[in-house]
Amino acid sequence: MPNNLINKIISFATIIFLSGGCTPFSKDTPKDNLPDTVSITLPESSKHFVNRFPENYAGPSDDSEFFNVNQYEIDFNQKKTVVFEHGKHTFKIPHVSSITAYEDGSHNPFLGVDEFDMFSGLGKSSNISDEEARQNFYNLIRQMHQAGWTDLISRSAPRIKRDRKNAAAFFEVEDGRIKAKPITGIPTAIELTPEEWKKLPNLAQIGTLYAEGVLVEFMLGKDNSEQYRDQYGNGQYALQITVKAYWDFLRLHVQEEFGKPGYREALDKELRLRAKERKQMEDKARAEGFEIDESYQDPPVPPLIALPRDGSR
């Protein structure tokens, strides 16, 4: 999705609604013909994607043309477990209520879907305890870590070690709320304590993981108002999971050159500039007492894999 315009402004209410929180699935909701577990993958074309869910696809959204991208939303009648098929890095996401695929058909070569957005509850209902939400999130993260997913570090961010000793480099408590540092964000390798978790703000970015040409981002939807807590003190939680092709993530550095003969040269030049920025930031981080992870290496620039436009893949 271009520039992640919608992702960055999406409201808590929208996340809860899309995860089935404010409008829970009724017993009267007709059961769809899909199995309880469905799968997606990258690379994949949007046509191949929607052809697997013909009853759940309502057609293109009205604002697709405005954003110069095609959106393909699949809404489930009952929450599903979604399997992201990625070889040895395959993982499962429970309680998913919808999947939206984004594809720019003007790309040459045709590369298919560049991003999936999924909305998931952190439990069987949106109102759950803070600790249940925390445990369920980190159960997902541990599953992904075991499958080989690791924290992605921005190419212009310092490679500070992702551990509790260096936690102050990534977030701090300000006015009773967890505030992530804008450059680094909160890595998944540092598991937040129950008290830290309670202090997360709504729409907190709580991790970006990477494995073999794909990155996964997590945004937490929560309502800190006591009026939304039930008689047991449980609050409303939901999770937005964005699965993105790494080639599209890199493309944004030099998007004006994408698809042109000089794209790779322009990208390499930009990445060299980012490496210089990183060195400066690492020198500053060392001076502040933080440890640098010299073993961390940036993912390679992935090849652009052309897909057929007939929906066969």
Side-chain angles (χ1 to χ4, degrees):
M1 182 175 169
N3 300 320
N4 287 329
L5 288 176
I6 293 181
N7 291 0
K8 302 308 179 188
I9 62 174
I10 194 164
S11 68
F12 164 78
T14 304
I15 288 182
I16 293 291
F17 175 79
L18 290 172
S19 69
C22 289
T23 54
F25 296 117
S26 166
K27 292 181 180 179
D28 298 327
T29 302
K31 185 172 177 59
D32 56 35
N33 294 317
L34 296 172
D36 293 335
T37 299
V38 298
S39 65
I40 56 175
T41 190
L42 285 174
E44 177 174 30
S45 69
S46 61
K47 187 177 292 187
H48 187 266
F49 169 65
V50 299
N51 283 347
R52 300 203 306 282
F53 311 103
E55 296 180 13
N56 302 75
Y57 176 55
S61 62
D62 295 335
D63 54 7
S64 289
E65 185 175 349
F66 175 79
F67 286 106
N68 192 32
V69 70
N70 291 318
Q71 304 176 36
Y72 304 85
E73 182 173 342
I74 303 297
D75 296 304
F76 301 123
N77 290 3
Q78 291 81 33
K79 292 183 180 181
K80 306 295 183 184
T81 293
V82 175
V83 178
F84 180 68
E85 301 281 0
H86 197 41
K88 64 182 181 181
H89 306 297
T90 295
F91 66 94
K92 298 179 180 180
I93 305 170
H95 312 305
V96 175
S97 57
S98 70
I99 309 174
T100 302
Y102 300 92
E103 178 183 87
D104 188 337
S106 67
H107 285 162
N108 188 21
F110 175 63
L111 301 169
V113 173
D114 54 65
E115 178 179 316
F116 289 109
D117 271 349
M118 288 174 277
F119 293 90
S120 167
L122 279 173
K124 292 183 179 179
S125 65
S126 62
N127 268 59
I128 58 176
S129 70
D130 298 313
E131 181 59 11
E132 182 181 356
R134 188 185 78 90
Q135 289 287 349
N136 288 345
F137 173 71
Y138 283 112
N139 285 340
L140 171 61
I141 294 302
R142 281 189 285 271
Q143 175 201 162
M144 295 182 68
H145 285 173
Q146 291 170 3
W149 294 81
T150 57
D151 284 298
L152 180 70
I153 302 177
S154 168
R155 290 188 176 245
S156 57
R159 297 168 298 165
I160 298 173
K161 287 186 177 181
R162 266 66 181 151
D163 57 25
R164 179 57 67 171
K165 182 179 178 181
N166 294 280
F170 306 108
F171 62 89
E172 61 188 353
V173 177
E174 184 177 284
D175 297 326
R177 291 279 181 263
I178 289 284
K179 181 180 179 182
K181 300 296 178 69
I183 297 297
T184 57
I186 301 174
T188 64
I190 301 176
E191 184 170 318
L192 297 178
T193 67
E195 286 305 310
E196 289 169 339
W197 177 268
K198 291 179 183 179
K199 294 173 181 176
L200 282 170
N202 180 37
L203 305 185
Q205 300 283 348
I206 50 176
T208 301
L209 293 172
Y210 172 87
E212 290 194 24
V214 176
L215 61 90
V216 181
E217 299 172 329
F218 302 96
M219 179 189 287
L220 184 68
K222 61 178 297 193
D223 198 301
N224 293 310
S225 173
E226 292 300 319
Q227 67 176 315
Y228 289 104
R229 292 188 177 269
D230 62 21
Q231 59 181 323
Y232 306 105
N234 297 332
Q236 290 191 345
Y237 279 95
L239 190 66
Q240 179 182 7
I241 304 105
T242 300
V243 180
K244 184 180 300 186
Y246 189 55
W247 63 260
D248 189 59
F249 179 79
L250 293 177
R251 175 187 67 85
L252 297 178
H253 290 301
V254 287
Q255 55 185 327
E256 296 83 4
E257 299 299 320
F258 190 72
K260 299 178 181 179
Y263 166 70
R264 183 55 192 268
E265 182 179 351
L267 177 61
D268 289 343
K269 180 180 179 181
E270 179 65 21
L271 295 183
R272 287 194 294 271
L273 291 175
R274 299 292 172 129
K276 291 181 179 179
E277 293 177 8
R278 170 182 281 173
K279 184 179 184 308
Q280 293 174 352
M281 298 189 75
E282 289 183 349
D283 290 342
K284 180 180 179 182
R286 283 194 185 93
E288 293 173 348
F290 296 114
E291 298 175 296
I292 303 301
D293 184 0
E294 301 284 358
S295 66
Y296 179 87
Q297 294 191 3
D298 294 306
V301 177
L304 300 179
I305 301 175
L307 297 180
R309 292 182 180 269
D310 60 6
S312 59
R313 183 180 175 188

